Amino acid sequence: MLQTDFIEINGLSYHIQRIIKDVNLPTIIFLHDSLGSVKLWRDFPEKLGEITNYNVLIYDREGHGDSSPFTIKERPINYLELGADILNKIITKLNLTQIILFGHSDGATISLHYAAKYPNNILATIVEGVHVFVEEETLQGIRDAKQALETTNLAERVTKYHGNKTDMLFKLWIETWLKPNYRDWNIYKEIRNITTPVLVFQGENDEFGTMQQVEKIKQNVSATVIDYLIPNCGHNPHKEQKDFTLEKTKEFIKEYAL
């Protein structure tokens, strides 16, 4: 059963949910996507906690879900790396020492940053729909989302999870990625510092990225990298191919993160 709490980091309130089976066991930490939240993970974290028998932690990042609203009007280019720094503060505050990260999209990139920058307590990293450089497919996916925001009830659907933070959430996401000076962003240099195993899920029909993201990870990470290209799957393997994602994640954790 997930337990809800709030913790303060840098003067902001972060909404967290946890399942603590045994403090001596590893904790799987889930990092949501650019428009995601604790609630939008649905029951996937609980299911993975059940089949691995590990502890679980989920949290809403700043400006998302039930955490504090954004305190910024514009994102810096390195906002995903800064997200890893906040994650480190959360982990430190909760005294977690054996970490497995499961990140989706923006959360996946934050996870890779964390694995590279804070290696001491990381056992393994699992990512889906990850971005390590800017592809035209990513930009087109965001342009399509911008159009949907203007022509459909997308904002209304997202507001159910983010309330009055929704407008700023969309603004920062769309404006950051479509900035001309963001086009050359990548984290090739950073991920070369990853020393623990990485599992990568990529949907064959992902509207925000291609297998080139996976290839760049494999080219730059010297540690073990296991990857799956999932047929009939878009940007959300944990929802669109839930059973496959759970099973392969369990296999990976049992082999590489004991």
Side-chain angles (χ1 to χ4, degrees):
M1 182 72 176
L2 285 163
Q3 301 174 342
T4 297
D5 201 356
F6 291 86
I7 62 172
E8 185 174 311
I9 303 291
N10 296 345
L12 299 180
S13 174
Y14 286 84
H15 169 231
I16 67 171
Q17 289 192 337
R18 302 179 72 181
I19 298 174
I20 304 174
K21 299 176 184 290
D22 184 332
V23 293
N24 296 311
L25 291 172
T27 297
I28 307 173
I29 302 179
F30 293 83
L31 292 97
H32 60 71
D33 62 306
S34 55
L35 301 179
S37 70
V38 163
K39 293 176 182 176
L40 280 165
W41 281 107
R42 300 175 184 167
D43 67 345
F44 185 85
E46 292 176 88
K47 293 293 186 184
L48 188 56
E50 286 174 9
I51 65 174
T52 59
N53 198 38
Y54 283 178
N55 302 318
V56 168
L57 169 66
I58 326 168
Y59 70 101
D60 290 321
R61 295 197 299 277
E62 177 186 353
H64 296 253
D66 293 324
S67 289
S68 291
F70 285 110
T71 56
I72 57 174
K73 303 298 183 184
E74 184 176 349
R75 271 179 171 159
I77 296 298
N78 68 334
Y79 80 97
L80 295 168
E81 180 182 1
L82 297 177
D85 295 337
I86 294 297
L87 171 59
N88 184 58
K89 290 179 183 293
I90 292 172
I91 287 170
T92 300
K93 192 154 192 172
L94 296 176
N95 296 312
L96 304 178
T97 57
Q98 299 180 80
I99 305 302
I100 299 167
L101 300 179
F102 191 113
H104 176 218
S105 195
D106 268 19
T109 307
I110 292 171
S111 298
L112 292 180
H113 269 300
Y114 184 91
K117 197 170 184 178
Y118 301 101
N120 290 342
N121 57 9
I122 190 84
L123 299 178
T125 305
I126 300 118
V127 294
E128 55 174 4
V130 65
H131 301 107
V132 296
F133 73 104
V134 179
E135 287 186 281
E136 177 55 35
E137 287 81 359
T138 310
L139 300 180
Q140 188 57 51
I142 293 171
R143 294 186 197 107
D144 291 343
K146 183 175 184 290
Q147 184 176 11
L149 183 63
E150 297 165 353
T151 59
T152 72
N153 68 340
L154 176 61
E156 180 183 341
R157 301 200 311 270
V158 174
T159 298
K160 289 192 303 182
Y161 301 99
H162 304 291
N164 60 11
K165 297 185 279 289
T166 301
D167 288 347
M168 183 57 72
L169 187 60
F170 273 113
K171 177 182 183 294
L172 293 179
W173 176 51
I174 292 170
E175 287 185 358
T176 301
W177 279 84
L178 296 184
K179 283 179 182 177
N181 68 338
Y182 202 72
R183 189 65 181 85
D184 295 329
W185 168 88
N186 70 71
I187 60 168
Y188 303 154
K189 180 180 177 181
E190 288 81 357
I191 62 177
R192 289 174 192 147
N193 293 321
I194 294 176
T195 57
T196 46
V198 178
L199 172 62
V200 188
F201 293 109
Q202 178 66 36
E204 188 175 37
N205 305 318
D206 190 337
E207 60 273 35
F208 291 101
T210 73
M211 275 296 288
Q212 282 300 306
Q213 301 289 341
V214 183
E215 292 305 316
K216 291 299 183 182
I217 292 173
K218 291 164 72 174
Q219 289 169 16
N220 288 283
V221 174
S222 58
T224 298
V225 177
I226 307 295
D227 65 283
Y228 294 99
L229 178 63
I230 309 177
N232 303 312
C233 185
H235 193 56
N236 300 277
H238 71 281
K239 293 179 181 177
E240 299 172 55
Q241 296 292 344
K242 179 180 175 181
D243 290 343
F244 178 87
T245 305
L246 282 170
E247 182 59 30
K248 293 305 179 185
T249 300
K250 176 186 175 183
E251 291 176 5
F252 174 79
I253 287 175
K254 291 306 181 185
E255 182 167 356
Y256 294 103
L258 287 175

